[in-house]
């Protein structure tokens, strides 16, 4: 299992779309297209489909759009939380990746990260 990205969420990531670090492009097969649907297993075992688009031109920064906002809502993500995407092939579920949400917690003045399960 490889970490594709581990990113602290910014306001735009929560409110609109998730800006994916450019170094993550090596893990995503666009097959000559500018967008691809990624099958991603979340921490509750649900397979989600995120649309990953990259910009046209020399600076092909990717972003997650379709499906991302639903994930944000389902997990009640907020600015300062972290999203961790892991490359993990699950042939049974047909997913290519696994995503985890980490909540930012201040405990005795120290910042720690806790796994964020999906609220019921």
């Amino acid at each position: 299992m490889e970490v594709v990205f581990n990113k602290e969420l910014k306001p735009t990531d929560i409110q609109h779309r998730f800006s994916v670090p450019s170094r993550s492009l090596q893990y995503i097969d666009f097959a000559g297209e500018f967008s691809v649907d990624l099958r991603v297993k979340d921490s509750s075992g649900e397979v989600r489909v995120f649309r990953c688009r990259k910009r046209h031109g020399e600076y092909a920064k990717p972003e997650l759009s379709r499906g991302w906002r639903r994930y944000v809502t389902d997990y009640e993500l907020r600015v300062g939380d972290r999203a961790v995407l892991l490359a993990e092939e699950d042939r049974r579920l047909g997913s290519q990746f696994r995503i985890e949400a980490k909540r930012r917690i201040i405990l005795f003045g120290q910042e720690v990260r806790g796994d964020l399960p999906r609220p019921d």
Side-chain angles (χ1 to χ4, degrees):
M1 209 171 353
E2 286 186 69
V3 175
V4 176
F5 61 73
N6 180 349
K7 182 184 172 198
E8 185 172 309
L9 301 178
K10 307 291 183 214
T12 298
D13 298 324
I14 297 295
Q15 299 165 2
H16 303 289
R17 66 197 159 283
F18 181 82
S19 179
V20 177
S22 296
R23 66 185 172 279
S24 304
L25 281 170
Q26 65 182 318
Y27 296 94
I28 302 168
D29 182 10
F30 283 93
E33 301 294 325
F34 285 97
S35 69
V36 64
D37 288 339
L38 303 178
R39 294 179 54 79
V40 180
K41 182 173 59 172
D42 68 16
S43 58
S44 67
E46 180 180 341
V47 175
R48 295 172 177 270
V49 178
F50 295 138
R51 171 73 42 95
C52 185
R53 303 181 309 176
K54 63 180 177 176
R55 296 179 186 158
H56 298 274
E58 196 172 310
Y59 185 63
K61 184 152 181 73
E63 61 187 26
L64 299 180
S65 55
R66 185 182 304 151
W68 170 252
R69 288 280 303 129
R70 174 73 187 261
Y71 180 74
V72 167
T73 301
D74 287 351
Y75 279 81
E76 300 175 355
L77 298 179
R78 54 190 183 216
V79 173
D81 290 343
R82 282 196 170 274
V84 181
L85 187 72
L86 304 158
E88 176 187 71
E89 191 72 32
D90 188 332
R91 287 184 173 75
R92 184 177 60 81
L93 293 176
S95 63
Q96 304 160 312
F97 301 99
R98 187 177 76 191
I99 193 162
E100 298 174 351
K102 306 282 187 183
R103 173 71 24 100
R104 179 176 179 254
I105 303 165
I106 304 297
L107 189 62
F108 302 113
Q110 297 293 318
E111 181 178 312
V112 295
R113 299 285 172 170
D115 289 337
L116 191 58
R118 182 177 178 175
D120 291 327

